[in-house]
Amino acid sequence: MCMFDDENVIRFCIDNKITVRQYFFLYLILQKDFQKESSLARKYVNLVEPFPQEEVEDLVEKGFLEDFNSPNQMLPEMYMIPSSVENNLFLTDDRADEFWSTYPVTFPIYSKDAKFLARTGGAKDDILELYRKKVKSLKKHEFVLEQLRIYVTMVNNNEIHGMKIIDFVRQEIWDSVSDMREEKGNTDFGLDA
């Protein structure tokens, strides 16, 4: 669903005075990984190290977790991340859906009045899973949405060809759009010569 975005994770940990292990614990809780049959979290605990109770309690005290455990209990499935934290920390399903909703249903076919279906290329869930793997953080998601809006305008102005959503994600076209806007010299991106 969501992954670590290297430097942003470190910055987040420094700004909030938490360890990377605590961040990892939050990630696993959000993913409900402890509840899965093939849980990476349980493998980590069994093969590497358990999560120290003091670190988990620190996350509760700082408001990153809500604890629904009975006294003297520490069951991971009894912790929840408040939505205010979740929305600012990780790229959630809702944010991936925002990308899906922002991507046009159809695009015009260049130099024609016809349109093609743009939200294609696989099942929605598979496309959004790939999107979350590539985008990872809320900050990157906001960048992608900004570039997507520019991309849609360029397609509608016949500056470039539109593409299926799956290709937009696979090829990370948001970076190409950003590069194009910086260069401002390449106006035939995606057009046949």
Side-chain angles (χ1 to χ4, degrees):
M1 284 189 177
C2 53
M3 301 285 287
F4 294 178
D5 188 17
D6 36 291
E7 197 173 305
N8 289 329
V9 170
I10 302 302
R11 284 192 185 130
F12 182 88
C13 291
I14 291 168
D15 291 346
N16 292 284
K17 297 178 178 69
I18 65 171
T19 67
V20 173
R21 183 171 46 204
Q22 286 174 303
Y23 186 95
F24 180 46
F25 186 78
L26 291 173
Y27 169 79
L28 293 171
I29 294 296
L30 179 65
Q31 299 303 312
K32 296 179 175 55
D33 191 82
F34 285 99
Q35 299 168 20
K36 296 176 183 172
E37 193 172 308
S38 60
S39 169
L40 288 176
R42 294 198 189 282
K43 287 179 186 173
Y44 177 84
V45 168
N46 290 330
L47 299 174
V48 180
E49 65 182 338
F51 292 97
Q53 187 171 354
E54 316 80 61
E55 289 188 6
V56 175
E57 289 170 358
D58 182 56
L59 290 171
V60 172
E61 288 173 24
K62 290 179 176 173
F64 289 105
L65 283 177
E66 293 177 4
D67 185 358
F68 295 97
N69 279 292
S70 298
N72 300 322
Q73 227 182 7
M74 190 180 148
L75 299 173
E77 51 274 3
M78 298 304 291
Y79 290 102
M80 290 187 66
I81 297 177
S83 59
S84 59
V85 173
E86 181 179 324
N87 290 336
N88 292 315
L89 186 57
F90 301 108
L91 182 63
T92 61
D93 290 343
D94 291 345
R95 299 300 179 139
D97 279 333
E98 181 183 19
F99 167 74
W100 179 267
S101 298
T102 303
Y103 205 90
V105 175
T106 62
F107 271 130
I109 296 175
Y110 185 69
S111 299
K112 298 180 183 173
D113 293 330
K115 294 186 176 208
F116 74 93
L117 194 57
R119 281 194 213 155
T120 60
K124 176 184 176 182
D125 290 344
D126 294 339
I127 293 169
L128 293 184
E129 182 179 344
L130 178 63
Y131 177 75
R132 285 187 297 269
K133 284 180 181 177
K134 288 187 173 278
V135 174
K136 303 173 188 170
S137 72
L138 183 58
K139 181 178 177 182
K140 179 84 177 241
H141 168 71
E142 290 167 355
F143 169 79
V144 169
L145 287 183
E146 179 184 336
Q147 300 312 307
L148 175 57
R149 290 181 184 98
I150 293 167
Y151 172 76
V152 170
T153 300
M154 293 172 77
V155 171
N156 289 332
N157 291 337
N158 290 325
E159 295 175 42
I160 60 174
H161 285 302
M163 59 178 46
K164 297 177 191 177
I165 191 171
I166 188 66
D167 296 328
F168 186 86
V169 174
R170 274 190 192 135
Q171 297 174 32
E172 299 180 30
I173 296 300
W174 48 84
D175 288 330
S176 298
V177 171
S178 178
D179 292 345
M180 286 174 47
R181 300 312 287 171
E182 286 177 17
E183 293 172 7
K184 295 196 181 199
N186 185 2
T187 58
D188 63 347
F189 174 76
L191 298 179
D192 295 331

